[in-house]
Amino acid sequence: MPFNKITQDILSKFSAIVGQANIFVSNEDLENYGHDETEDLVFLPEVVLKPATAADISEILKICNSERIPVTPRGAGTGLSGGALPVAGGVLLSMEKFNRILEIDERNLQATVEPGVITQVFQEAVAAKGLFYPPDPSSRGSCFLGGNLGENAGGPKAVKYGVTRDYVLSLEVVLPTGEIITTGAKVLKNSTGYNLTQLMVGSEGTLGIVTKIIFKLIPLPKHNLLMLVPFFNAEKACEAVSAVFRAGFTPSALEFMERDAIDWALQYVEEVNVQVKPEVQAHLLVEVDGNDLEILYKQAEEISEMMMNFDCDEILFADSAQQKDDLWKLRRRVAEAVKSNSVYKEEDTVVPRAELPKLLAGVKEIGKKYGFKSVCYGHAGDGNLHVNIIKGEMSDEDWNNKLKDGIREIFHLTVALGGTLSGEHGIGLVQKEFLDIALHPKSIELQKNIKKLFDPNGILNPGKIFE
Ligand SMILES: Cc1cc2nc3c(=O)[nH]c(=O)nc-3n(C[C@H](O)[C@H](O)[C@H](O)COP(=O)(O)OP(=O)(O)OC[C@H]3O[C@@H](n4cnc5c(N)ncnc54)[C@H](O)[C@@H]3O)c2cc1C
């Protein structure tokens, strides 16, 4: 069904709802909201709206639904699959005014927040009360909780503590047709009908606009220890990952960085200095946390002894808070470093963790076949490998056409190893053409029918997840 353009009359209706001060139509504003962090893609909306209440969003959606105007919800725009790109024009609905932490319920270890709260701001607010909200994407200093929910974001701590969905108890959602619903309750268990809360998580803004979130929290661990382990062989580093868990440890982070990833991060983050020997091919960043420091030292020692079986070099133990911060800064900024270095495409492959060595080797083989270099890093403890394909010397022709076959091959390999297309970045715009590799046609049909049920006119975030 074709969409309609936004007329002056419709703009006046928007103005009556959100006020003229919250409507943006200048070229500069449209450009600012026309991209996220996905490659260099830009799609301009016709208008940017910044509502502040669920009731306002409900009124906006009722108009857009009856007038057939596309609406794209946007958090902080740090997404890596193009979820917040307004590909069909229309309304860009910025959630930045929903920026309040409404309640931190210390008695029940829960919090109620609006979706425009920055993830790190929330983490720090609950930490000040001795509580812990673990999902921590590397973009946590700028991304929003609502965007995390849209993508079911993970991050380094997911390996021990789980991803965003594991902390969501209930949501307030404005449906594309304008009704406002609550999906769950302020409870830790809930067997009351279908689980719409979890259906919303990871739905990439295609089923409804989240306007309030109730999160579960856990007690904040008192201590952590961090070590950087260099390896002479990248596949051996990957082999060490599953060995750690088989030996009975559950680190609070287990991150992998290929040689280029750490080199580029070291160039990019000038204030951090780590010596890397020329023969080193990869690193694992390993963190353990808990309340008993003695036990943690013992664990760290046992893990480091185990690492020796995988041809590692001398391990660097972070011996101060500053050194821990520095090492984390390096790891968290790899993505930006890669982006600053070259045109690239990022794939968010995930496999059972013991298959990581095969995935890494396979990606390199496929790269040789198609003539691309890749820089790999990621949340190895979860089997989640970010494959950054670097344009480098590749011709525009090969980059735009031939590369797709290479990516398809990477995804076929991922699925053959028992994995899937995305661990935490979502399908959005850029991965939807590969969805058939991972999902049965009937599964895709069921999902499309769910979308139709929520959004009969297809106005909410069109062009995402499915062709
Ligand atoms: C440097 C860098 C590092 C990153 N590291 C990680 C990482 O470690 N782990 C990880 O998981 N991701 C990571 N990401 C990806 C990205 O930050 C996450 O996907 C994040 O969750 C997106 O949040 P956002 O607020 O920017 O959302 P946006 O990009 O604005 O939106 C994401 C999706 O959510 C939808 N959406 C936003 N708000 C709402 C709402 N209120 N209701 C309904 N739908 C909504 C949008 O329509 C879109 O589909 C990284 C990105 C960058 C640039």
Side-chain angles (χ1 to χ4, degrees):
M1 199 179 303
F3 294 119
N4 291 320
K5 291 276 170 208
I6 299 175
T7 60
Q8 203 53 50
D9 181 43
I10 293 172
L11 276 182
S12 308
K13 287 183 184 163
F14 290 155
S15 174
I17 299 167
V18 295
Q20 198 54 38
N22 292 311
I23 298 188
F24 301 84
V25 288
S26 76
N27 283 345
E28 196 188 339
D29 287 319
L30 300 184
E31 272 160 26
N32 281 343
Y33 289 87
H35 63 87
D36 60 5
E37 290 296 326
T38 313
E39 301 160 22
D40 50 1
L41 300 174
V42 179
F43 295 87
L44 297 188
E46 288 162 69
V47 62
V48 177
L49 300 181
K50 298 186 185 175
T53 67
D56 286 355
I57 293 181
S58 163
E59 291 309 310
I60 293 167
L61 288 184
K62 280 180 195 160
I63 293 171
C64 292
N65 190 43
S66 73
E67 301 287 346
R68 307 281 195 277
I69 290 168
V71 179
T72 306
R74 178 185 169 100
T78 68
L80 294 172
S81 58
L85 295 174
V87 292
V91 172
L92 188 293
L93 199 76
S94 168
M95 298 303 288
E96 64 201 64
K97 296 219 151 174
F98 285 74
N99 60 2
R100 292 175 304 162
I101 296 173
L102 299 171
E103 184 195 22
I104 298 175
D105 177 353
E106 292 177 71
R107 283 188 320 139
N108 288 305
L109 273 67
Q110 292 181 10
T112 306
V113 301
E114 292 184 327
V117 174
I118 292 175
T119 309
Q120 191 172 352
V121 168
F122 179 55
Q123 287 178 322
E124 286 171 1
V126 302
K129 295 183 185 300
L131 298 173
F132 189 28
Y133 174 71
D136 64 340
S138 298
S139 50
R140 67 184 180 151
S142 51
C143 65
F144 291 174
L145 292 167
N148 296 169
L149 203 126
E151 304 294 359
N152 187 24
K157 304 269 191 236
V159 64
K160 179 170 179 182
Y161 293 104
V163 293
T164 304
R165 74 161 72 256
D166 298 311
Y167 293 84
V168 182
L169 300 178
S170 182
L171 300 170
E172 178 183 83
V173 179
V174 186
L175 299 176
T177 38
E179 299 89 342
I180 303 175
I181 62 165
T182 297
T183 59
K186 230 174 153 262
V187 289
L188 294 173
K189 30 194 320 206
N190 189 336
S191 298
T192 316
Y194 289 161
N195 194 336
L196 296 186
T197 308
Q198 292 299 335
L199 178 59
M200 290 303 304
V201 182
S203 66
E204 307 190 33
T206 61
L207 299 180
I209 312 266
V210 173
T211 46
K212 207 182 281 175
I213 312 167
I214 300 178
F215 282 120
K216 137 182 132 171
L217 304 168
I218 57 177
L220 185 68
K222 291 194 177 75
H223 308 286
N224 59 59
L225 299 176
L226 185 65
M227 52 189 165
L228 184 69
V229 192
F231 291 84
F232 297 114
N233 179 301
E235 281 173 52
K236 284 264 177 213
C238 290
E239 280 173 31
V241 171
S242 61
V244 169
F245 295 87
R246 283 202 310 275
F249 302 105
T250 305
S252 48
L254 211 179
E255 300 283 302
F256 170 79
M257 283 180 280
E258 247 192 325
R259 174 72 199 223
D260 280 338
I262 198 158
D263 279 352
W264 291 7
L266 279 166
Q267 282 163 24
Y268 189 73
V269 189
E270 282 170 6
E271 67 273 22
V272 177
N273 188 14
V274 174
Q275 294 304 319
V276 182
K277 287 186 190 163
E279 337 56 287
V280 166
Q281 290 306 312
H283 286 84
L284 291 179
L285 186 63
V286 190
E287 186 195 78
V288 288
D289 73 356
N291 293 332
D292 186 327
L293 207 46
E294 286 296 306
I295 292 176
L296 292 185
Y297 278 122
K298 192 164 177 286
Q299 272 183 15
E301 206 178 295
E302 286 172 9
I303 290 175
S304 57
E305 270 166 25
M306 240 197 61
M307 293 287 174
M308 303 294 176
N309 302 329
F310 296 88
D311 198 16
C312 76
D313 197 16
E314 203 176 318
I315 296 175
L316 171 67
F317 283 90
D319 56 12
S320 65
Q322 180 64 50
Q323 205 172 15
K324 282 182 195 167
D325 281 354
D326 284 352
L327 292 181
W328 272 121
K329 203 181 280 178
L330 272 189
R331 166 59 193 91
R332 286 189 188 282
R333 300 191 71 181
V334 172
E336 290 161 67
V338 170
K339 196 167 186 163
S340 74
N341 226 289
S342 169
V343 174
Y344 76 107
K345 278 187 197 295
E346 178 164 348
E347 311 307 336
D348 178 34
T349 54
V350 57
V351 291
R353 66 167 83 92
E355 308 300 343
L356 262 183
K358 284 188 194 151
L359 177 63
L360 185 71
V363 165
K364 298 297 169 186
E365 276 307 306
I366 294 167
K368 273 188 212 149
K369 180 172 160 192
Y370 287 88
F372 64 76
K373 174 185 160 81
S374 60
V375 179
C376 299
Y377 64 92
H379 314 299
D382 292 324
N384 189 188
L385 191 72
H386 299 321
V387 178
N388 283 258
I389 300 172
I390 306 300
K391 180 158 185 286
E393 302 297 305
M394 221 177 178
S395 69
D396 288 351
E397 164 72 15
D398 282 355
W399 182 253
N400 293 324
N401 303 316
K402 203 167 130 190
L403 182 62
K404 280 201 174 142
D405 295 333
I407 295 175
R408 275 198 96 77
E409 227 170 281
I410 291 176
F411 284 143
H412 275 294
L413 169 68
T414 307
V415 171
L417 291 171
T420 194
L421 309 190
S422 174
E424 55 179 22
H425 295 166
I427 296 301
L429 177 69
V430 293
Q431 310 299 7
K432 64 180 180 177
E433 65 183 295
F434 305 110
L435 200 61
D436 63 303
I437 299 173
L439 300 183
H440 189 281
K442 188 69 193 173
S443 165
I444 296 179
E445 187 193 322
L446 282 170
Q447 294 192 36
K448 283 184 172 171
N449 284 335
I450 290 172
K451 164 75 178 164
K452 267 192 211 138
L453 213 54
F454 275 75
D455 184 13
N457 292 327
I459 59 153
L460 196 59
N461 213 357
K464 306 297 165 60
I465 307 182
F466 314 108
E467 279 301 347

